[in-house]
Amino acid sequence: MSDVALTRSQVADLVDHTLLRPEATTDDVKALIDEARSLGVLAVCVSPSMLPIKAPGLVTAAVVGFPSGKHHSLVKGAEARLAVDQGAQEIDMVIDIGAAVAGDFNAVLADVLTVREAVGDRTVLKVILETAALTDEAIVESCRAAERAGANFVKTSTGFHPAGGATVEAVRLMAQTVGGRIGVKASGGIRTAQAALDMIAAGATRLGLSGTRAVLDGLPD
């Protein structure tokens, strides 16, 4: 358990308030944006089909190749480019998890590089590894590949994989690997204030939360 002491607003500044359920409607997205504003978070993260959205004062993020990662790299690139054209400032892409499992980290690098080239240098690119499905070695090598390909963040999880979501151990390993050169986003299964603080203590510089209010309500003002 972490003894990191952060206020509600300090944690809110790290949060991507997220809605990626397949059944989400435009009304749900509007409610997400309203809640994000009331909570004072940094960003909202939505499915690309929900774009464009009106969220002044908030960063808009969209997912790509989600949730399986089993899309052709060129499709991921086109999806990312379209999302950026429709107002996304940040892209959270899923790697080909099978390539990482098989140890083909050149394929992981090429996948990320295709999306980076599609969106240009100004777009923040977060690379989802699905760490619960990977060995420690595969996590390390995938982080290295993502960094070499120009990612701004490596991210633990989609939150949709049966193997599970973020763990403190995975976040710590990712943070040690990237050494502060790029960010680390913990996402998937973070439902309490203590869990969020533990992830931050392990090295997370961004949090992906769907139950954001419950997490922030557990923190001091």
Side-chain angles (χ1 to χ4, degrees):
M1 182 176 290
S2 165
D3 58 1
V4 169
L6 294 173
T7 66
R8 180 187 177 101
S9 63
Q10 286 173 318
V11 174
D13 285 342
L14 306 179
V15 171
D16 293 357
H17 188 42
T18 301
L19 176 63
L20 299 171
R21 297 193 312 271
E23 69 274 19
T25 66
T26 54
D27 285 343
D28 292 331
V29 171
K30 289 175 183 175
L32 177 87
I33 293 165
D34 290 342
E35 186 174 43
R37 281 213 190 85
S38 72
L39 294 172
V41 299
L42 173 69
V44 290
C45 184
V46 299
S47 301
S49 61
M50 308 311 293
L51 298 171
I53 60 175
K54 294 180 180 178
L58 295 165
V59 173
T60 298
V63 293
V64 161
F66 195 91
S68 72
K70 285 300 194 186
H71 308 66
H72 195 288
S73 295
L74 293 176
V75 173
K76 293 180 189 179
E79 186 177 34
R81 181 67 253 174
L82 179 59
V84 170
D85 288 345
Q86 292 187 318
Q89 298 152 285
E90 300 189 351
I91 295 295
D92 291 36
M93 68 164 288
V94 187
I95 65 167
D96 182 339
I97 301 151
V101 169
D104 189 354
F105 302 107
N106 285 332
V108 174
L109 186 149
D111 194 36
V112 178
L113 189 60
T114 298
V115 176
R116 167 50 76 200
E117 290 178 343
V119 299
D121 294 335
R122 293 185 180 181
T123 301
V124 171
L125 180 59
K126 311 188 202 94
V127 175
I128 305 172
L129 308 182
E130 210 68 273
T131 51
L134 302 179
T135 64
D136 284 358
E137 180 184 4
I139 291 170
V140 168
E141 292 302 324
S142 295
C143 285
R144 289 173 175 166
E147 182 181 358
R148 287 199 302 273
N152 301 102
F153 286 81
V154 284
K155 176 178 170 181
T156 58
S157 322
T158 61
F160 285 75
H161 199 284
T167 66
V168 166
E169 293 77 17
V171 169
R172 184 175 295 117
L173 181 60
M174 293 162 72
Q176 290 170 347
T177 301
V178 300
R181 294 178 299 275
I182 62 174
V184 175
K185 180 176 172 180
S187 185
I190 304 168
R191 298 186 178 92
T192 66
Q194 189 59 58
L197 293 175
D198 290 344
M199 297 297 173
I200 294 167
T205 56
R206 190 80 72 91
L207 301 173
L209 306 176
S210 55
T212 307
R213 186 177 296 279
V215 170
L216 295 181
D217 282 351
L219 296 164
D221 291 335

